[in-house]
Amino acid sequence: MADSSTQSIEIDATPAQVAAVICDFARYPEWTTAMKSVEVVEEYEDGYASQVRFVIDAGVLVDEYTLQYEYAEDISRIEWHLVAPSKMQKTQNGSYDIEPVGERGSEVTYTLEVDLAVGMLGMFRKKAEKMIMDAALKQLKGRVETLYPRA
C-alpha cells in the first residue's frame, strides 16, 4: 500500500526560476546525487517533457523507471506518475507545487507517494522517504539559488 509524504521548503528565487530547474531533467545528474542518468523520452508540442526515464541509486533504492509528467498552465504545479511498474516500485505519484513568497521567493511543496515492489518495514520506509525528500528539496534549493543568485 502506498503512503503519501509531503514536505516544503522556501527558495530564494521566483516560481518561474524554480520551475525552470525542475523541468530541466537532463541536468538532474549534475545536482541530484541519487540520479545516475536521466533521459527525456517524449516531449509535448510546447517542448516540456512528457515522459522521462530515470536511473537512480539512493542507497536504499536502486531502480530504473519512466515517469509521465503533466504541468499546470502557469507551471505552478508539476505532477507525475509511474508509467509501468519497475524492479523496485509498483506505483509512484508525485508533485511539486510552487507558490510565490514575498517579492522574490517561492515555497515548494513536494508530495510523493510510492508503493514499493519489495517489502520494507514501516519504520525503515518512513526514514528512507524522509531522507530522499529532504535531499531532493535541499538539492533543488541549492541548484536554484546557485543558478539565480540574489543581486
Side-chain angles (χ1 to χ4, degrees):
M1 183 172 197
D3 288 325
S4 180
S5 296
T6 300
Q7 289 188 32
S8 297
I9 196 166
E10 283 195 23
I11 298 178
D12 190 18
T14 67
Q17 291 167 331
V18 173
V21 171
I22 292 170
C23 294
D24 190 2
F25 295 103
R27 295 196 184 267
Y28 275 30
E30 295 175 13
W31 59 273
T32 307
T33 55
M35 291 296 163
K36 299 306 167 200
S37 70
V38 180
E39 175 190 3
V40 175
V41 179
E42 291 180 15
E43 291 182 345
Y44 292 109
E45 288 180 13
D46 60 9
Y48 284 101
S50 122
Q51 287 195 7
V52 182
R53 189 176 143 280
F54 295 89
V55 177
I56 186 172
D57 184 347
V60 295
L61 180 66
V62 177
D63 205 2
E64 183 176 325
Y65 55 92
T66 301
L67 299 178
Q68 174 75 42
Y69 282 84
E70 296 179 17
Y71 309 85
E73 195 169 317
D74 63 357
I75 312 298
S76 64
R77 181 175 177 83
I78 300 164
E79 58 186 52
W80 62 88
H81 67 271
L82 190 66
V83 171
S86 68
K87 179 177 76 174
M88 295 293 293
Q89 302 174 74
K90 292 180 188 175
T91 61
Q92 181 185 142
N93 298 297
S95 64
Y96 285 107
D97 288 293
I98 309 164
E99 298 292 328
V101 174
E103 288 185 29
R104 189 188 180 271
S106 300
E107 181 178 56
V108 179
T109 301
Y110 179 32
T111 302
L112 184 64
E113 177 184 302
V114 178
D115 189 5
L116 294 175
V118 295
M120 186 181 279
L121 291 174
M123 177 178 83
F124 294 113
R125 179 188 176 116
K126 279 292 180 193
K127 186 174 182 172
E129 276 179 14
K130 181 173 179 9
M131 181 184 76
I132 290 167
M133 292 184 81
D134 281 350
L137 285 172
K138 287 176 185 168
Q139 290 172 17
L140 174 64
K141 177 181 175 69
R143 177 66 170 196
V144 172
E145 291 179 355
T146 297
L147 288 177
Y148 303 102
R150 183 163 264 206

